[in-house]
Amino acid sequence: MTAQTVPGTEATALPAVHRSRRATVLGLTGTAAVLLAMAALPYLVDSGVTGQLVKLCYLVALASMWNLLTGYAGMMSMGQQAFIGLGAYLLFVVNDHGVNVYAGTLVVSALVALLAWPLSYLAFRLRGGYFAVGTWVIAEVVRLIVVRFDSLGAASGRSLSDVTADPVLRRAFTYWLALAVMAAAVLGTYAMLRSRLGLGLQAIRDDDTAAGSLGVDVTRGKRTVYIAAAAGCAAAGAVICVNSLGVASPTQIFGVQYSALMVFMVIIGGIGTVEGPVIGALAYFLLDKYFAQSGVWYLVVVGAVAIAVSLYLPRGLWGTFAQRTGWAVFPVRHTVGR
């Protein structure tokens, strides 16, 4: 006897969710090749070239962290300089306790992540524009606390005491550190967005109330991103400190200009994309390299670029390109089909 299906009991096949595995493999392979080529630069080019690329690396890291906060979690922070400054000053602390500055960068990132956890409870009491202002206030409070410690140079800043004496080796090690921080920021962001948390973040960004009603743990997702971005900014701050052999001024390392730079780079490159901050950081790096000595014209050029992109390419350089071509180096989209 042949089994028959009772009408009304047929199983309904759910649509399958696919990811572009081929595009992912190609993107990661290309990224690995670029990183390996960049890692070999100290053996191939003058140390002055790698010295300039250190700035590009930490700019990419900073832009990626701000994009993770705002572009994917919907948190408009104007106080990430708090964690940049903490990263630099905590490097003095761990260095004074015998930890090498290069290994100390990892320690500093972990310490700042721990500090960001209680700070998140304070910041998350605010929403929207109040959150942006509140994070800036937190950064100022952190700066005022740090400058009260004479061992950290008080209001005058201080220099590192344990850095490789050979200038060639120091520049090479600093470059490799900056490259590692950049790679961790970009690939870490991509890995997070490819996870279950990444799906929740995009729902939170669009409408956190609706996301919560669908079962997304909004507060946990935002706190995870907030802590991760703090750790990334701290690592970038440590790189800035190592590259400058210290901190010349606490006002500068805790300056709001870093948040302004992050906003500029992400808007120029394309907010809400993994590649956008990289393109935006590269664009700013080139503008700074070729126009920084032009006085007031430097600000004119930077402002003109920002206005032009905002008006004619509201999705940013990479965002517009990706929209028109559908191409991505780091695909995070999901395709629904049978």
Side-chain angles (χ1 to χ4, degrees):
M1 180 181 294
T2 303
Q4 296 183 354
T5 303
V6 179
T9 62
E10 299 88 345
T12 302
L14 296 176
V17 178
H18 304 284
R19 286 176 174 172
S20 180
R21 294 184 178 179
R22 181 182 179 185
T24 299
V25 171
L26 290 175
L28 291 178
T29 301
T31 301
V34 171
L35 290 176
L36 286 174
M38 292 184 69
L41 286 181
Y43 301 103
L44 304 174
V45 300
D46 184 78
S47 60
V49 176
T50 55
Q52 293 179 355
L53 290 178
V54 168
K55 182 174 183 178
L56 175 61
C57 289
Y58 71 68
L59 286 175
V60 171
L62 290 175
S64 296
M65 293 300 95
W66 195 84
N67 180 58
L68 182 61
L69 273 172
T70 306
Y72 286 102
M75 293 184 286
M76 177 69 75
S77 173
M78 294 303 294
Q80 292 308 106
Q81 63 269 19
F83 306 117
I84 298 172
L86 280 174
Y89 274 94
L90 283 176
L91 190 64
F92 294 131
V93 176
V94 299
N95 186 226
D96 289 344
H97 285 79
V99 181
N100 183 277
V101 292
Y102 304 105
T105 299
L106 182 61
V107 178
V108 162
S109 297
L111 291 175
V112 171
L114 290 175
L115 291 174
W117 179 65
L119 284 177
S120 68
Y121 286 90
L122 177 62
F124 286 4
R125 296 179 66 87
L126 306 171
R127 296 174 63 87
Y130 294 104
F131 178 84
V133 174
T135 54
W136 174 75
V137 172
I138 290 174
E140 285 298 297
V141 171
V142 170
R143 179 183 67 83
L144 292 173
I145 293 174
V146 168
V147 298
R148 294 184 64 85
F149 290 89
D150 293 334
S151 61
L152 297 178
S156 303
R158 59 163 285 186
S159 59
L160 287 166
S161 58
D162 180 21
V163 184
T164 304
D166 189 327
V168 176
L169 287 178
R170 179 181 63 79
R171 289 174 183 173
F173 289 156
T174 302
Y175 170 72
W176 284 325
L177 173 66
L179 184 63
V181 169
M182 179 188 71
V186 176
L187 297 178
T189 298
Y190 182 50
M192 182 178 291
L193 296 175
R194 292 276 293 184
S195 68
R196 182 182 181 88
L197 173 62
L199 289 174
L201 289 177
Q202 295 177 65
I204 292 170
R205 174 193 60 190
D206 295 336
D207 191 327
D208 56 0
T209 302
S213 67
L214 293 174
V216 177
D217 192 333
V218 175
T219 302
R220 181 180 180 182
K222 285 187 173 183
R223 181 163 289 117
T224 300
V225 169
Y226 186 82
I227 293 173
C233 288
V239 171
I240 295 171
C241 182
V242 174
N243 190 49
S244 303
L245 295 179
V247 173
S249 167
T251 302
Q252 182 180 16
I253 198 69
F254 282 104
V256 73
Q257 73 272 7
Y258 281 113
S259 287
L261 281 181
M262 293 182 220
V263 174
F264 176 83
M265 291 184 291
V266 173
I267 296 300
I268 292 297
I271 192 169
T273 64
V274 180
E275 304 88 347
V278 180
I279 300 301
L282 179 60
Y284 173 76
F285 175 77
L286 295 175
L287 286 173
D288 184 70
K289 178 178 175 61
Y290 293 107
F291 293 97
Q293 305 302 321
S294 302
V296 69
W297 286 105
Y298 168 65
L299 299 177
V300 172
V301 171
V302 171
V305 171
I307 292 172
V309 171
S310 299
L311 289 177
Y312 301 106
L313 301 172
R315 292 179 178 268
L317 298 175
W318 181 265
T320 302
F321 173 78
Q323 181 189 29
R324 294 177 179 177
T325 64
W327 193 71
V329 178
F330 301 106
V332 295
R333 292 183 178 180
H334 297 71
T335 303
V336 179
R338 298 289 180 182

